[in-house]
Coordinates of all heavy atoms in Angstrom, one line a residue:
P1 N 110.6 113.3 115.6 CA 111.3 112.1 116.1 C 112.6 112.4 116.8 O 113.7 112.0 116.4 CB 111.5 111.2 114.9 CG 111.7 112.2 113.8 CD 110.7 113.3 114.1
L2 N 112.5 113.2 117.9 CA 113.8 113.6 118.6 C 114.2 112.4 119.5 O 115.3 112.1 119.7 CB 113.6 114.8 119.4 CG 113.6 116.1 118.6 CD1 113.2 117.3 119.6 CD2 115.0 116.4 118.0
N3 N 113.2 111.8 120.2 CA 113.5 110.8 121.2 C 113.3 109.4 120.7 O 112.7 108.6 121.3 CB 112.6 111.1 122.5 CG 112.9 112.4 123.1 OD1 114.1 112.8 123.1 ND2 111.9 113.1 123.6
S4 N 113.9 109.1 119.6 CA 113.8 107.8 119.1 C 114.5 106.8 119.9 O 115.5 107.1 120.6 CB 114.4 107.7 117.6 OG 115.8 107.9 117.7
E5 N 114.1 105.5 119.9 CA 114.7 104.5 120.7 C 116.2 104.3 120.3 O 117.0 104.0 121.1 CB 114.0 103.2 120.6 CG 112.6 103.2 121.2 CD 112.0 101.8 121.1 OE1 112.6 100.9 120.6 OE2 110.8 101.7 121.6
K6 N 116.4 104.5 119.0 CA 117.8 104.3 118.5 C 118.8 105.3 119.2 O 119.8 104.9 119.7 CB 117.8 104.5 117.0 CG 119.1 104.2 116.4 CD 119.0 104.4 114.9 CE 118.0 103.5 114.2 NZ 118.0 103.5 112.8
V7 N 118.4 106.5 119.3 CA 119.2 107.5 119.9 C 119.3 107.3 121.4 O 120.4 107.4 122.0 CB 118.7 109.0 119.6 CG1 119.5 110.0 120.3 CG2 118.8 109.2 118.1
N8 N 118.2 107.0 122.0 CA 118.2 106.9 123.4 C 119.1 105.7 123.9 O 119.8 105.8 124.9 CB 116.8 106.6 124.0 CG 115.9 107.9 123.9 OD1 116.4 109.0 123.8 ND2 114.6 107.7 123.9
K9 N 119.0 104.6 123.1 CA 119.8 103.4 123.5 C 121.3 103.7 123.4 O 122.1 103.3 124.1 CB 119.4 102.2 122.7 CG 118.1 101.7 123.0 CD 117.7 100.5 122.2 CE 116.3 100.0 122.5 NZ 115.9 98.9 121.6
E10 N 121.7 104.5 122.3 CA 123.1 104.8 122.1 C 123.6 105.8 123.1 O 124.7 105.7 123.6 CB 123.3 105.3 120.7 CG 123.0 104.3 119.6 CD 123.3 104.9 118.2 OE1 123.7 106.0 118.1 OE2 123.1 104.1 117.3
N11 N 122.8 106.7 123.6 CA 123.2 107.6 124.6 C 123.1 107.1 126.0 O 123.8 107.6 126.9 CB 122.4 109.0 124.5 CG 122.7 109.6 123.1 OD1 123.8 109.6 122.6 ND2 121.7 110.3 122.6
G12 N 122.1 106.2 126.2 CA 122.0 105.6 127.5 C 121.2 106.4 128.5 O 120.7 105.9 129.5
D13 N 121.1 107.7 128.4 CA 120.5 108.6 129.4 C 119.2 109.2 128.9 O 118.6 110.0 129.6 CB 121.4 109.6 129.9 CG 122.0 110.5 128.7 OD1 121.5 110.3 127.6 OD2 122.8 111.4 129.0
G14 N 118.8 108.9 127.7 CA 117.5 109.5 127.2 C 117.7 110.9 126.6 O 116.8 111.4 126.0
D15 N 118.8 111.5 126.8 CA 119.0 112.8 126.2 C 119.4 112.7 124.8 O 120.1 111.7 124.4 CB 120.1 113.6 127.0 CG 119.7 113.9 128.4 OD1 118.5 114.1 128.6 OD2 120.6 114.0 129.3
V16 N 119.1 113.7 124.0 CA 119.4 113.6 122.5 C 120.7 114.3 122.2 O 120.8 115.5 122.4 CB 118.2 114.3 121.7 CG1 118.5 114.2 120.2 CG2 116.9 113.5 122.0
K17 N 121.7 113.5 121.9 CA 123.0 114.1 121.4 C 123.2 113.4 120.1 O 123.1 112.2 119.9 CB 124.1 113.7 122.4 CG 123.8 114.2 123.8 CD 124.7 113.5 124.8 CE 124.4 113.8 126.2 NZ 125.2 113.1 127.2
V18 N 123.6 114.2 119.1 CA 123.7 113.7 117.7 C 125.1 113.8 117.2 O 125.5 114.8 116.6 CB 122.7 114.5 116.8 CG1 122.7 113.7 115.5 CG2 121.3 114.5 117.4
P19 N 125.9 112.8 117.5 CA 127.3 112.8 117.0 C 127.2 112.5 115.5 O 126.2 112.1 115.0 CB 128.0 111.7 117.7 CG 126.9 110.8 118.2 CD 125.7 111.7 118.4
K20 N 128.3 112.7 114.8 CA 128.3 112.5 113.4 C 127.9 111.1 113.0 O 128.4 110.1 113.5 CB 129.7 112.8 112.8 CG 129.8 112.8 111.3 CD 131.2 113.2 110.8 CE 131.3 113.2 109.3 NZ 132.6 113.6 108.8
G21 N 127.0 111.0 112.0 CA 126.6 109.7 111.5 C 125.4 109.0 112.2 O 125.0 108.0 111.8
V22 N 125.0 109.6 113.3 CA 123.9 109.0 114.1 C 122.6 109.6 113.6 O 122.4 110.8 113.4 CB 124.0 109.3 115.6 CG1 122.8 108.8 116.4 CG2 125.3 108.6 116.1
K23 N 121.6 108.7 113.4 CA 120.3 109.2 112.9 C 119.6 110.0 114.0 O 119.6 109.6 115.2 CB 119.4 108.0 112.5 CG 120.0 107.2 111.3 CD 119.1 106.1 111.0 CE 119.7 105.2 109.9 NZ 119.9 105.9 108.7
V24 N 118.9 111.1 113.7 CA 118.1 111.8 114.6 C 116.9 111.0 115.0 O 116.5 111.0 116.2 CB 117.6 113.1 114.0 CG1 116.7 113.8 114.9 CG2 118.9 114.0 113.8
G25 N 116.3 110.2 114.1 CA 115.2 109.4 114.5 C 114.5 108.8 113.3 O 115.2 108.6 112.3
V26 N 113.2 108.6 113.4 CA 112.5 108.1 112.3 C 111.2 108.9 112.1 O 110.7 109.6 113.0 CB 112.1 106.6 112.5 CG1 113.3 105.7 112.7 CG2 111.2 106.5 113.8
V27 N 110.7 108.8 110.9 CA 109.4 109.5 110.5 C 108.4 108.4 110.2 O 108.7 107.6 109.2 CB 109.6 110.5 109.4 CG1 108.2 111.1 109.0 CG2 110.6 111.6 109.8
E28 N 107.3 108.3 110.9 CA 106.3 107.3 110.7 C 105.1 108.0 110.0 O 104.7 109.1 110.4 CB 105.9 106.6 111.9 CG 107.0 105.7 112.5 CD 106.5 104.8 113.6 OE1 105.3 104.9 114.0 OE2 107.3 104.0 114.2
S29 N 104.5 107.2 109.1 CA 103.3 107.7 108.5 C 102.3 106.5 108.2 O 102.8 105.4 107.9 CB 103.6 108.4 107.2 OG 102.5 109.0 106.6
K30 N 101.0 106.8 108.3 CA 100.1 105.7 108.0 C 100.1 105.4 106.5 O 100.2 106.2 105.7 CB 98.7 106.2 108.4 CG 98.4 106.1 109.9 CD 96.9 106.4 110.2 CE 96.6 106.4 111.7 NZ 95.2 106.7 112.0
F31 N 99.9 104.1 106.3 CA 99.7 103.6 104.9 C 98.5 102.7 104.8 O 98.4 101.6 105.3 CB 101.0 102.7 104.5 CG 101.0 102.3 103.1 CD1 101.2 103.3 102.1 CD2 100.8 101.0 102.7 CE1 101.2 102.9 100.8 CE2 100.9 100.6 101.4 CZ 101.1 101.5 100.4
V32 N 97.4 103.3 104.3 CA 96.1 102.7 104.4 C 95.9 101.7 103.2 O 96.2 102.0 102.1 CB 94.9 103.8 104.3 CG1 93.6 103.1 104.3 CG2 95.1 104.8 105.4
C33 N 95.5 100.5 103.6 CA 95.2 99.4 102.6 C 93.8 98.9 102.8 O 93.2 98.9 103.9 CB 96.2 98.3 102.8 SG 97.9 98.7 102.6
T34 N 93.2 98.5 101.7 CA 91.9 97.9 101.8 C 92.1 96.4 102.3 O 93.2 95.9 102.2 CB 91.1 97.9 100.4 OG1 91.9 97.0 99.5 CG2 91.0 99.3 99.9
L35 N 91.0 95.8 102.7 CA 91.1 94.4 103.2 C 91.4 93.5 102.0 O 92.1 92.5 102.2 CB 89.7 94.0 103.9 CG 89.8 92.8 104.7 CD1 90.8 92.8 105.8 CD2 88.4 92.6 105.4
E36 N 90.9 93.9 100.8 CA 91.2 93.1 99.6 C 92.7 93.1 99.3 O 93.2 92.0 99.0 CB 90.4 93.6 98.4 CG 88.9 93.3 98.4 CD 88.1 94.4 99.2 OE1 88.7 95.2 99.8 OE2 86.8 94.3 99.1
E37 N 93.3 94.2 99.5 CA 94.7 94.3 99.2 C 95.5 93.5 100.2 O 96.5 92.9 99.9 CB 95.1 95.8 99.2 CG 94.6 96.6 98.1 CD 94.8 98.1 98.2 OE1 95.0 98.6 99.4 OE2 94.9 98.8 97.2
L38 N 95.1 93.5 101.5 CA 95.8 92.8 102.5 C 95.5 91.3 102.3 O 96.3 90.5 102.8 CB 95.4 93.3 103.9 CG 95.8 94.7 104.2 CD1 95.2 95.1 105.6 CD2 97.3 94.9 104.3
Y39 N 94.4 90.9 101.7 CA 94.1 89.5 101.5 C 94.9 89.0 100.3 O 95.6 87.9 100.4 CB 92.6 89.3 101.2 CG 92.2 87.9 101.0 CD1 91.7 87.2 102.1 CD2 92.2 87.3 99.7 CE1 91.3 85.8 101.9 CE2 91.8 86.0 99.5 CZ 91.4 85.3 100.6 OH 91.0 84.0 100.5
R40 N 94.9 89.7 99.2 CA 95.6 89.2 98.0 C 97.1 89.5 98.0 O 97.9 88.8 97.3 CB 94.9 89.8 96.8 CG 93.5 89.3 96.5 CD 93.0 89.8 95.2 NE 93.0 91.3 95.1 CZ 91.9 92.0 95.1 NH1 90.7 91.4 95.2 NH2 92.0 93.3 95.0
G41 N 97.4 90.7 98.6 CA 98.8 91.2 98.4 C 98.8 92.1 97.2 O 98.0 91.9 96.3
C42 N 99.6 93.0 97.1 CA 99.7 93.9 95.9 C 101.0 94.7 96.0 O 101.7 94.7 96.9 CB 98.5 94.9 95.9 SG 98.5 96.0 97.3
K43 N 101.2 95.4 94.9 CA 102.4 96.3 94.8 C 101.9 97.7 94.6 O 101.0 97.9 93.8 CB 103.3 95.9 93.6 CG 103.9 94.5 93.7 CD 104.8 94.1 92.6 CE 105.3 92.7 92.7 NZ 106.2 92.5 93.8
K44 N 102.5 98.6 95.3 CA 102.0 100.0 95.2 C 103.2 100.9 95.0 O 104.4 100.6 95.5 CB 101.3 100.4 96.5 CG 99.9 99.9 96.6 CD 99.1 100.6 97.7 CE 97.6 100.2 97.7 NZ 96.8 101.0 98.7
K45 N 103.0 102.1 94.4 CA 104.0 103.1 94.3 C 103.6 104.3 95.0 O 102.4 104.7 95.0 CB 104.2 103.4 92.8 CG 104.9 102.3 92.0 CD 105.1 102.7 90.5 CE 105.7 101.6 89.7 NZ 105.9 102.0 88.3
L46 N 104.5 104.9 95.7 CA 104.2 106.1 96.5 C 105.3 107.2 96.3 O 106.5 106.9 96.4 CB 104.2 105.7 98.0 CG 103.7 106.7 99.0 CD1 102.2 107.0 98.8 CD2 103.9 106.2 100.4
K47 N 104.8 108.4 95.9 CA 105.7 109.5 95.7 C 106.0 110.2 97.0 O 105.0 110.6 97.7 CB 105.2 110.5 94.7 CG 106.1 111.6 94.3 CD 105.5 112.6 93.4 CE 105.4 112.0 92.0 NZ 104.9 113.1 91.0

């Protein structure tokens, strides 16, 4: 996640510059649910 929208918007030019306190980006990962879980709702724990 070098070219996150957050960084691009703050820099304005699309280049990645990371001043102190600015997030480099985000890490996304799939979270698979069954249709039953999405119907009823549920609580899950993830390590």
Side-chain angles (χ1 to χ4, degrees):
L2 283 174
N3 295 322
S4 68
E5 290 184 1
K6 188 178 298 185
V7 175
N8 288 343
K9 288 178 181 177
E10 290 182 3
N11 293 327
D13 56 6
D15 293 331
V16 180
K17 304 167 186 175
V18 189
K20 185 175 181 179
V22 175
K23 296 180 186 298
V24 173
V26 297
V27 175
E28 292 190 358
S29 183
K30 283 185 180 181
F31 186 69
V32 180
C33 299
T34 65
L35 196 56
E36 287 87 351
E37 290 170 337
L38 295 174
Y39 182 91
R40 295 189 298 252
C42 64
K43 298 181 185 294
K44 287 192 171 187
K45 293 181 179 180
L46 190 66
K47 182 184 288 187

